[in-house]
Amino acid sequence: MAKITFITSANETITLEGTEGSVMALAVENGVRGIDGDCGGVCSCATCHVHVAPDDMDKTGVASEIESDMLELDDNADEYSRLCCQLEISDALDGVVLTVAK
Amino acid sequence: MSDNLTNPKICVVIGASHAGVNFAFALRREGWQGEIILFDSDLELPYHRPPLSKTYLTSDDGIEKNLLKSAESYQRDNISLRLGITVADIDREKKNIVLGDGSLQAYDKLVIATGARPIIPAILGVATAKNLFPLRTASDVSSIRDCMKSGAIKKVVVIGGGYIGLETAASLRKLGADVTVLEREERILSRVTAPEMSVFFQQLHAQHQVDVLTSKNVISIESHNEYNEVICADDTLYRADMIIVGVGIHVNKEIAEKAGLTIQNGIKVDASARTSDEHIYAIGDCTFHHNLHYNRFIRLESVQNAVDQAKVAAAALCNKKPVYDAIPWFWSDQYDVKLQMVGLSQGYNQVLVRRDSENDKSFSVWYFKDAILLAVDAINNAKAYVYGTKFIKGRQKVDQSKLVDLSVEFKPANLLSE
């Protein structure tokens, strides 16, 4: 079980609880604005871009090679960027704060 | 506030797959206050289709692991999902649709998202063939999986060397079947990619002991007690305990056609996804639509187009003035290869291949018409896909000699013409 907080571009804060699956699926399921997940979670579309709170980077880790390449599609990507379809929910993610990319 | 938002109306959607479902949620998000009713003949809760021929086929997952949205999501957004129901007719005059049981459903706005269905070619013996399946629906996959689990399937013939056929071949190989792909054309993927790509995929399948045979025009299927024989025009024959048919699709345009909407290679729509009837929109695989970037009318079988047209139609219904302007993109996963494609390559007169890594399974194919970059196919190379997307979108001019010069580091700034 992990509590995950999303901050949307409208500055809305949404905290969701998840036990399995990807963070993208959790966000889509709960209608978090700005997380579309058009490709269904196979790292092909870059429509689930989030910025991880710097302090939480040790929980999420950094993007994989293909993921960082895909992140280049978005000019707003930075060192805290992740595609959240690649973040698998587990206890380790409890408490992370993710800002949905603009 | 606009009329559609303050004066609740009924929006009816025919077809609840990627286009229809994304549309319904987008419409609610745009502020539509009225009813939203989605119809589909499929009994399953709407699901992701791309995994069907890939990870879903090789898994034991139920479709609930693969849903576009959960049942609760529809409730939360007050979207009525009416499954297992066919729509027989559209009465444009009275503004209602006629359901399979003869009952009527009124609409103020109608969205046709009927998609497409697999072609089952009129090959002699196709109707009596044993274990013959297309692959378009979750139910198709269930049948294929059940067959595989029965233990009776040793040899599989896949008719058609397009993406569906090749992905299914890879998945069935993974499940242990002995797979042969029969392609009618001289090379696989001939309609959509350059010869370099056809060669790569043919070799990839060969490395996994899947025979991909070209110039094989299947003319008949003879079924015997336990198996079929697939017979080609060149008199070769292939034994098959199961046959997968992946030879393309028919657009589900019949109800639109009967209703008198303009049809041209699909249901013709404008830049806001509207048909020739101002109250009826069409989205997804069933549409013949204008692509702004390539400045021509096209029909696409893709998730990207379904989702993007869904967003455009939803905005249009809420009186915004959206214009569909998307660069098409696609993907395919076979074995350990991730193929990502962006753009439309039709009309190319030059193909350049960039291969940076020692790994022969990572490279990119760039399609040009003279100096203009039309499309990129990237094999295990997301960078190339991303750069290609940016260059195409920005109509940037790629320096072709630098592109193929491996001494030039693969970075956007290095690849563009001065």
Side-chain angles (χ1 to χ4, degrees):
Chain A
M1 172 87 77
K3 272 191 184 165
I4 295 167
T5 299
F6 298 88
I7 302 171
T8 70
S9 49
N11 248 339
E12 200 185 355
T13 298
I14 305 167
T15 299
L16 300 169
E17 279 183 11
T19 49
E20 56 165 10
S22 75
V23 172
M24 180 278 290
L26 180 72
V28 167
E29 184 50 46
N30 290 280
V32 175
R33 273 185 190 240
I35 306 280
D36 292 339
D38 288 346
C39 77
V42 293
C43 203
S44 285
C45 68
T47 61
C48 63
H49 178 191
V50 294
H51 301 278
V52 179
D55 290 348
D56 291 331
M57 282 304 285
D58 55 341
K59 292 181 180 166
T60 61
V62 295
S64 68
E65 188 186 344
I66 176 173
E67 191 184 335
S68 6
D69 288 343
M70 286 302 292
L71 277 162
E72 282 193 51
L73 270 181
D74 192 335
D75 293 332
N76 296 318
D78 58 25
E79 75 246 58
Y80 306 115
S81 288
R82 293 293 312 260
L83 294 176
C84 62
C85 70
Q86 302 300 304
L87 293 174
E88 200 61 26
I89 297 175
S90 71
D91 294 348
L93 284 192
D94 190 39
V96 295
V97 178
L98 308 172
T99 302
V100 179
K102 285 204 179 29
Chain B
M1 283 287 261
S2 62
D3 182 53
N4 282 339
L5 301 186
T6 53
N7 178 13
K9 293 189 168 183
I10 303 172
C11 179
V12 169
V13 187
I14 310 174
S17 190
H18 289 266
V21 168
N22 276 287
F23 166 79
F25 284 87
L27 186 65
R28 198 54 95 202
R29 199 163 269 214
E30 290 284 356
W32 182 270
Q33 299 288 313
E35 278 187 71
I36 303 174
I37 310 170
L38 271 172
F39 289 95
D40 203 288
S41 56
D42 200 324
L43 277 164
E44 303 285 356
L45 274 173
Y47 46 83
H48 286 278
R49 284 192 203 271
L52 293 181
S53 50
K54 310 178 184 95
T55 49
Y56 184 69
L57 176 54
T58 54
S59 76
D60 283 323
D61 288 346
I63 201 68
E64 73 283 352
K65 294 272 187 198
N66 194 30
L67 299 179
L68 287 169
K69 301 275 180 176
S70 66
E72 300 81 63
S73 300
Y74 295 91
Q75 282 174 3
R76 198 165 46 225
D77 276 20
N78 194 18
I79 293 165
S80 318
L81 187 56
R82 301 190 53 193
L83 298 173
I85 295 174
T86 53
V87 176
D89 262 310
I90 301 167
D91 184 338
R92 289 166 55 193
E93 209 127 291
K94 299 201 178 92
K95 288 178 85 177
N96 58 43
I97 58 169
V98 184
L99 306 180
D101 64 1
S103 62
L104 302 178
Q105 170 63 56
Y107 68 80
D108 294 296
K109 299 287 178 189
L110 179 66
V111 176
I112 303 174
T114 44
R117 62 185 181 279
I119 292 174
I120 304 295
I123 297 167
L124 189 67
V126 76
T128 49
K130 286 199 170 57
N131 301 328
L132 178 142
F133 308 103
L135 200 159
R136 178 91 184 170
T137 65
S139 147
D140 294 334
V141 177
S142 296
S143 306
I144 294 167
R145 279 188 189 170
D146 288 348
C147 255
M148 289 303 296
K149 279 183 196 148
S150 73
I153 306 298
K154 302 282 183 288
K155 285 182 181 291
V156 177
V157 165
V158 176
I159 304 177
Y163 289 114
I164 288 285
L166 295 175
E167 287 170 3
T168 307
S171 298
L172 292 175
R173 180 73 197 120
K174 195 172 169 189
L175 292 176
D178 178 357
V179 185
T180 303
V181 178
L182 302 177
E183 166 57 44
R184 190 177 58 182
E185 303 296 323
E186 284 173 14
R187 60 184 180 90
I188 53 172
L189 303 170
S190 61
R191 212 165 46 86
V192 285
T193 63
E196 288 80 351
M197 294 283 291
S198 304
V199 169
F200 172 79
F201 277 103
Q202 185 140 3
Q203 287 172 350
L204 175 71
H205 281 271
Q207 285 160 12
H208 290 84
Q209 292 83 46
V210 169
D211 283 329
V212 176
L213 307 175
T214 53
S215 302
K216 289 290 180 187
N217 188 16
V218 175
I219 53 166
S220 68
I221 299 169
E222 279 180 22
S223 45
H224 303 279
N225 278 341
E226 301 293 327
Y227 64 94
N228 307 284
E229 276 175 333
V230 180
I231 299 156
C232 298
D234 62 2
D235 286 336
T236 49
L237 62 89
Y238 302 88
R239 188 179 156 136
D241 304 310
M242 178 163 75
I243 299 171
I244 306 293
V245 179
V247 297
I249 51 103
H250 286 299
V251 171
N252 290 326
K253 59 177 194 281
E254 287 76 7
I255 52 168
E257 200 160 28
K258 240 188 330 179
L261 298 175
T262 302
I263 305 289
Q264 197 185 333
N265 185 25
I267 304 168
K268 196 165 182 187
V269 295
D270 67 13
S272 66
R274 195 165 68 176
T275 69
S276 53
D277 179 321
E278 63 171 322
H279 302 295
I280 305 180
Y281 291 70
I283 53 178
D285 288 9
C286 66
T287 65
F288 190 57
H289 62 273
H290 188 254
N291 185 285
L292 207 57
H293 186 89
Y294 294 93
N295 192 24
R296 64 171 188 266
F297 275 85
I298 54 173
R299 191 170 56 71
L300 290 175
E301 293 146 37
S302 87
V303 166
Q304 167 272 320
N305 178 55
V307 171
D308 287 340
Q309 275 191 320
K311 290 174 187 165
V312 163
L317 254 65
C318 294
N319 302 314
K320 295 177 180 159
K321 303 266 181 262
V323 172
Y324 183 74
D325 182 14
I327 309 290
W329 54 266
F330 315 84
W331 77 94
S332 176
D333 299 315
Q334 298 168 41
Y335 310 108
D336 53 348
V337 165
K338 182 173 193 67
L339 165 64
Q340 294 172 283
M341 295 162 275
V342 60
L344 298 174
S345 61
Q346 285 93 331
Y348 70 88
N349 55 16
Q350 174 155 228
V351 175
L352 298 176
V353 178
R354 169 89 187 197
R355 191 185 296 272
D356 272 285
S357 107
E358 299 280 299
N359 175 0
D360 63 356
K361 285 194 185 136
S362 170
F363 62 97
S364 52
V365 177
W366 300 64
Y367 299 79
F368 292 89
K369 178 166 191 202
D370 305 321
I372 299 168
L373 177 64
L374 294 178
V376 177
D377 294 343
I379 304 275
N380 288 333
N381 193 334
K383 259 196 181 69
Y385 170 78
V386 167
Y387 297 169
T389 302
K390 290 189 162 181
F391 297 162
I392 294 169
K393 265 193 187 151
R395 297 184 188 273
Q396 283 169 296
K397 201 162 170 237
V398 175
D399 186 320
Q400 297 178 346
S401 55
K402 287 183 185 162
L403 178 63
V404 292
D405 182 352
L406 292 183
S407 68
V408 175
E409 195 193 344
F410 194 58
K411 278 190 359 195
N414 294 348
L415 300 173
L416 294 170
S417 299
E418 299 298 312

